[in-house]
Amino acid sequence: MIYIKHEIRKGDTLESIASQYESNIEDLKNFHNSYCGATGLIVTDRLPLHLGYIIIDKNSIKDKEISNVRKGSSKLDIPTRYRCEQNNLVLIDGNPNFSGQTKTQYLLSHKKNIGLSLLNALLEDYISSVQPMGMEGAFELIKQIELIRDNIVFTHADGKIEKIINLKELNNKWDIFLKETSNNIPFYNELKNKSPQVIKDFIDNGEKEFSDENVFSEVISKNLFYHIILKAYMGKGINEFSFIQQSQLFPNITMNLNVVKSLVSNDETTTTYRLVGTLDKSKLDENEIMNLYEELYQPIIKYSFTEFDYIYRITYVIENESGLLIESNASIKELVKNNYEVITKFELRRVAV
């Protein structure tokens, strides 16, 4: 929606409303008159007595707020705190082979005048554990990269990120990581000595991510916290969408997911939605997947290739009055049926600020 409705209250004037939205009276009148009916026109510089609301240009306000944030003259000042828990499990022939848990806490802030279209996500806490124990080094490296992304200001619409407002600051953090932090990470230095090509690819990918807005947006959209926030605030009119997901099992294989949003329940205070994703198998090369399975997994599992699938289920609850996300649960599974499964369970809940 390109506009918002400002409810006129006692004491409001065109001048005070224009000041509130960092606009001027003429722009306010022109935009309102373009979208209101004939009985709602504002002809003079006074608000008509019968008028209940004035239509405000949301995109203009958002652009001004973005400019103010970039200049450091404005902050997003309505905070909501979330705690998240993500559990990852790998099953081989039905037996656990790997498990990892990550707990995070985010402070998500927005501006009242433009609602939830401009957000600041601050990562306040990051705790991880992994089994088997020998993989802690890799997870420490992952944690350090997540800490580079610890403060992201962005706009979004239709379930997708539009702009990363502070990408330059994030790029500076990446440079500091390469020059300083990486030297204190044993796993990073071990890889640099034993597998220089792996480190080169790691650095190349980082350079792309932290310098290219589109690449960075794509990367963080895969993070389940951001993924759920984007989908929860994508708009009531969008009930079907698609996205591309990189396979965790097979290198260079991408999957097309078709997602349907449905209403689960609603009452006076909350509304619950469910997202169900279906893998578009018509866009997969099953022979390529079968060959990769026979190369990568069959020597270990022994059993022949069966069926490849991807299961995507997300439920989330919205508070009706504020429009804010209250809680969410996600269950995602990529698998070769009965042989190899990568399972992700994710829970998000709002806590006190």
Side-chain angles (χ1 to χ4, degrees):
M1 184 178 290
I2 64 171
Y3 62 81
I4 56 178
K5 291 183 177 180
H6 171 90
E7 182 182 347
I8 297 173
R9 293 175 179 163
K10 186 177 180 180
D12 275 350
T13 64
L14 277 174
E15 185 177 7
S16 68
I17 295 171
S19 175
Q20 180 179 341
Y21 292 100
E22 298 187 51
S23 184
N24 59 67
I25 291 176
E26 284 306 310
D27 287 347
L28 213 63
K29 286 168 54 180
N30 290 338
F31 190 85
H32 171 85
N33 289 342
S34 297
Y35 286 91
C36 73
T39 59
L41 290 174
I42 303 174
V43 180
T44 70
D45 287 350
R46 292 179 178 273
L47 288 169
L49 293 176
H50 69 277
L51 201 62
Y53 60 82
I54 183 168
I55 299 173
I56 306 292
D57 183 354
K58 182 176 180 179
N59 287 334
S60 174
I61 300 165
K62 187 164 70 172
D63 289 344
K64 288 173 183 174
E65 287 293 350
I66 289 171
S67 176
N68 289 338
V69 169
R70 281 180 169 151
K71 292 186 294 186
S73 59
S74 176
K75 292 184 178 180
L76 307 183
D77 52 9
I78 302 179
T80 309
R81 179 168 283 126
Y82 295 101
R83 283 189 172 173
C84 310
E85 181 175 315
Q86 180 168 323
N87 289 282
N88 298 301
L89 179 65
V90 175
L91 299 178
I92 297 179
D93 190 16
N95 298 309
N97 177 262
F98 164 87
S99 66
Q101 182 185 76
T102 304
K103 294 183 177 184
T104 51
Q105 180 169 291
Y106 290 91
L107 187 69
L108 190 71
S109 302
H110 69 281
K111 200 82 170 179
K112 182 179 180 180
N113 290 347
I114 51 174
L116 295 157
S117 57
L118 173 60
L119 296 170
N120 180 194
L122 180 65
L123 177 61
E124 297 182 313
D125 221 338
Y126 186 102
I127 307 153
S128 63
S129 60
V130 60
Q131 294 288 340
M133 297 295 288
M135 296 189 67
E136 302 106 311
F139 267 65
E140 177 60 26
L141 180 57
I142 293 170
K143 176 179 179 178
Q144 293 303 320
I145 300 303
E146 289 297 329
L147 293 178
I148 297 174
R149 310 182 188 111
D150 68 343
N151 188 1
I152 304 174
V153 185
F154 63 99
T155 64
H156 66 95
D158 300 332
K160 298 178 181 179
I161 290 174
E162 290 181 314
K163 297 179 181 178
I164 304 294
I165 310 304
N166 62 332
L167 186 62
K168 184 176 180 180
E169 290 85 346
L170 297 169
N171 184 262
N172 290 338
K173 290 181 183 179
W174 167 252
D175 287 341
I176 292 171
F177 168 83
L178 286 180
K179 294 173 183 176
E180 300 175 14
T181 311
S182 62
N183 296 326
N184 300 316
I185 302 175
F187 182 77
Y188 180 93
N189 292 317
E190 183 180 341
L191 276 180
K192 188 163 63 173
N193 293 328
K194 293 183 178 180
S195 305
Q197 185 58 47
V198 172
I199 286 296
K200 182 181 182 304
D201 292 342
F202 171 81
I203 293 174
D204 289 345
N205 288 333
E207 293 290 346
K208 292 176 184 175
E209 175 185 344
F210 292 104
S211 62
D212 188 305
E213 185 173 56
N214 292 327
V215 175
F216 184 83
S217 298
E218 185 176 332
V219 169
I220 66 166
S221 295
K222 305 303 181 186
N223 176 309
L224 278 170
F225 171 76
Y226 288 97
H227 183 81
I228 291 170
I229 289 292
L230 291 169
K231 302 316 175 192
Y233 297 149
M234 66 182 170
K236 295 180 180 179
I238 303 176
N239 295 318
E240 295 184 8
F241 61 92
S242 300
F243 69 94
I244 296 174
Q245 176 70 38
Q246 178 68 43
S247 170
Q248 296 184 71
L249 293 182
F250 302 111
N252 302 320
I253 295 293
T254 56
M255 304 172 292
N256 292 268
L257 275 294
N258 299 318
V259 183
V260 175
K261 180 176 111 176
S262 60
L263 175 67
V264 176
S265 65
N266 69 312
D267 54 35
E268 291 183 358
T269 57
T270 63
T271 302
T272 302
Y273 297 96
R274 179 179 293 120
L275 304 177
V276 176
T278 303
L279 177 63
D280 188 348
K281 295 185 179 182
S282 68
K283 295 182 179 179
L284 286 175
D285 186 336
E286 189 170 353
N287 287 328
E288 182 180 5
I289 289 175
M290 187 182 302
N291 291 336
L292 286 169
Y293 172 82
E294 291 172 351
E295 176 188 345
L296 298 173
Y297 301 113
Q298 192 166 354
I300 301 168
I301 302 171
K302 307 303 180 186
Y303 289 103
S304 302
F305 180 82
T306 51
E307 178 187 1
F308 178 70
D309 206 352
Y310 190 87
I311 298 167
Y312 171 100
R313 303 284 187 273
I314 295 176
T315 302
Y316 62 91
V317 182
I318 297 292
E319 184 177 63
N320 294 337
E321 183 178 359
S322 66
L324 289 169
L325 178 67
I326 298 175
E327 62 182 35
S328 178
N329 290 277
S331 177
I332 297 171
K333 182 189 294 186
E334 183 179 351
L335 69 153
V336 176
K337 189 176 179 181
N338 298 325
N339 293 349
Y340 202 107
E341 300 181 33
V342 177
I343 302 167
T344 299
K345 300 285 187 182
F346 183 86
E347 296 181 359
L348 172 152
R349 59 189 173 90
R350 187 174 68 178
V351 297
V353 176

